[in-house]
Structure formats: structure tokens, C-alpha cells
Amino acid sequence: MNSLVARAPWLERFWRAAQRWAIAWWRIMDLGAVVLVLLASPSSWGRHARARMALQIVRDTLPILLGFTVLAALISLVLTRIVVVTAFSYGLSRYALEMVVRVLVLELIPLTAALFVAMRTTIPSGARVAELRRLRRMPGTQFVRTEVLPRAVAGVYASVTLAALSCVVGLLMAYIGVYGANLAGFAGYTRMFGQVFTPQITLVFFLKTLFFSLAVALIPLAGGLHAHERHGSAPPSAGGGSLARMFAVLLLIETISLMGNYY
């Protein structure tokens, strides 16, 4: 095999790329396993550790919560209006609200929340981890416990919180966009909501939101944690490869959720 690779430069490049790909995904899974083990360890829940984790959650969630909620409300109103007007012009107004809920709440808001958290929180956290890893000399497990674990938990919490709150706001804006600020359509709206959120779709929605949050929390941090191994002297960046892997995972999760909902 080595002699064949030596005679074919393109095969050597392919082999090295495959090795880098496998190592990168192994590091992501390894970091996820280490984070789960540390979360289950009583030593990770001491007073100082809890305070550090709570502070990181507040820092990563609070600054983006209001802005994203307002953005979700505006997008919900605009999308609801577009769908309602379009459906009315084709004589399909009875399906407009259900379409809005399916497209907006089930698909767009969780994905948008995950991407928003990634851009505003977890990707900068990955860059910060890369910088701290280069500057600080401490054992790997201790570094993960003190620097990576709080950021991973905060990323998951921020993504789930933004998705849950924005879904509630989106449902409220969809109702207002169709019925106005009154309770005239509340009975029909709740009945439609129950028809859309069946147990199967609710489970898929919950799992999708959870895996979105895990992806945007762990992948940039794994890239930052091992950045020094790629560059020798790590720059303050999580790496373009980490971003590509994160987007690929989000796309894969979204595709699987669509298959689970509609097939």
C-alpha cells in the first residue's frame, strides 16, 4: 500500500486527507465523550465549578437572547404574511397557518437559532480555547474541565434556550399575523397545533434541537482544542475545517429530521 501511494501523488493526497478527516471526527467524538464523563463526575460540580459554569452560561446566552427573539418575531410576522397572502391567492387559505407552523417552527427557527449561537458564541469560544491552549500549560483533562466544559454546556444551553423561546414567539406571531390580537381563532389554532405536533414529530423536533445544540457547541471547541497540533503555534481560530464539519453535521441532522417527519 505504501509503495502504491508513493507512485501515485494524488492517491497520497487522498490518503492524507482521509486520515485528517478521520482524526478530526474522532477528536469531536472523543471531546463529546469526555464532556459527558466530566458532567457525570461529582468533582465537576463543586462550588467554584458551578459558579464558573453559571457565569459562562449567562455570558453566552443573555447578550444574544433579546436580539434573536426580536429577530425571530420579525421573521415570523413577515413569513406569516407572505404565506397567508400567497395561499389566499391560490385558494388555499385554510392550509396557510399549518404551513407557517411547519416551516417556521419545525424547520427554520431551530436551525437559525443553532447558526446564530454558533456565529455569536461557540465559534468565538473555539478561538478563545485555541488561544488559551497555546498560552497555558496544564494537563489536558484539567484544561477541558476548567475551560472547555463550561463553554460546551453554555453553548448547548444557549442553543436550546434560543430555539425554545423563539418557537414560542414564532407561534404567537403566527397567530397574531392570521387572527390579530384577539381570541377569535384560539380554539382552531390549538386544534391545528395538536394536529401538527404529533408525538412522533414532537420527538423528532426535540432530538433535532438537541443534536443541533451539541453540534454547534462541540465541533468549534474540538477544533480550537487541537488547533496547536495542526499549526504548531495555534492562531486564535477554530479553523475553517471545523466550520465546514459543523455545517455538514447541521445539514445532515436537518435532512434526517425531514425524513423522520415526512416519510
Side-chain angles (χ1 to χ4, degrees):
M1 178 64 183
N2 293 334
S3 60
L4 179 61
V5 170
R7 290 196 298 270
W10 66 269
L11 187 58
E12 181 179 2
R13 291 194 298 269
F14 173 79
W15 177 250
R16 290 179 178 176
Q19 286 181 317
R20 290 194 297 269
W21 180 85
I23 291 173
W25 284 110
W26 169 255
R27 286 171 174 169
I28 293 170
M29 293 185 291
D30 178 68
L31 178 61
V34 171
V35 167
L36 287 177
V37 171
L38 290 177
L39 284 175
S41 174
S43 59
S44 299
W45 295 99
R47 183 178 63 181
H48 295 293
R50 291 199 308 270
R52 188 187 305 113
M53 191 175 297
L55 180 61
Q56 190 68 47
I57 289 174
V58 172
R59 284 177 175 175
D60 287 355
T61 305
L62 190 60
I64 63 177
L65 189 59
L66 179 60
F68 184 78
T69 302
V70 173
L71 178 64
L74 293 175
I75 292 175
S76 301
L77 281 175
V78 172
L79 184 60
T80 300
R81 184 61 180 171
I82 292 173
V83 172
V84 168
V85 171
T86 304
F88 182 79
S89 65
Y90 286 97
L92 301 172
S93 56
R94 58 178 296 186
Y95 303 109
L97 190 55
E98 181 178 345
M99 186 183 306
V100 169
V101 172
R102 287 184 178 274
V103 173
L104 182 67
V105 178
L106 288 180
E107 309 302 338
L108 289 183
I109 287 181
L111 180 59
T112 307
L115 291 174
F116 194 83
V117 171
M119 295 301 175
R120 291 293 303 274
T121 299
T122 59
I123 292 176
S125 291
R128 180 59 177 166
V129 165
E131 183 179 0
L132 291 175
R133 186 61 170 165
R134 185 179 77 252
L135 297 176
R136 296 186 180 179
R137 302 300 184 202
M138 63 175 63
T141 304
Q142 182 182 356
F143 183 82
V144 172
R145 188 192 303 274
T146 57
E147 301 296 341
V148 179
L149 179 61
R151 289 177 169 83
V153 174
V156 172
Y157 183 88
S159 181
V160 172
T161 301
L162 260 63
L165 181 60
S166 301
C167 284
V168 174
V169 172
L171 289 170
L172 179 61
M173 293 298 103
Y175 179 89
I176 294 175
V178 175
Y179 297 107
N182 58 73
L183 298 178
F186 185 73
Y189 186 73
T190 54
R191 183 164 54 252
M192 181 276 302
F193 181 85
Q195 292 172 350
V196 171
F197 280 86
T198 62
Q200 175 187 346
I201 290 181
T202 303
L203 177 62
V204 172
F205 175 77
F206 172 79
L207 293 176
K208 176 174 70 173
T209 304
L210 177 62
F211 285 121
F212 275 169
S213 63
L214 290 173
V216 299
L218 292 177
I219 295 177
L221 290 176
L225 186 62
H226 297 282
H228 67 289
E229 298 179 15
R230 297 191 304 268
H231 302 286
S233 178
S237 170
S242 296
L243 302 186
R245 283 186 287 272
M246 184 186 70
F247 287 124
V249 169
L250 293 179
L251 179 61
L252 177 62
I253 295 171
E254 181 64 28
T255 303
I256 294 174
S257 72
L258 289 173
M259 295 174 60
N261 286 335
Y262 302 109
Y263 284 92

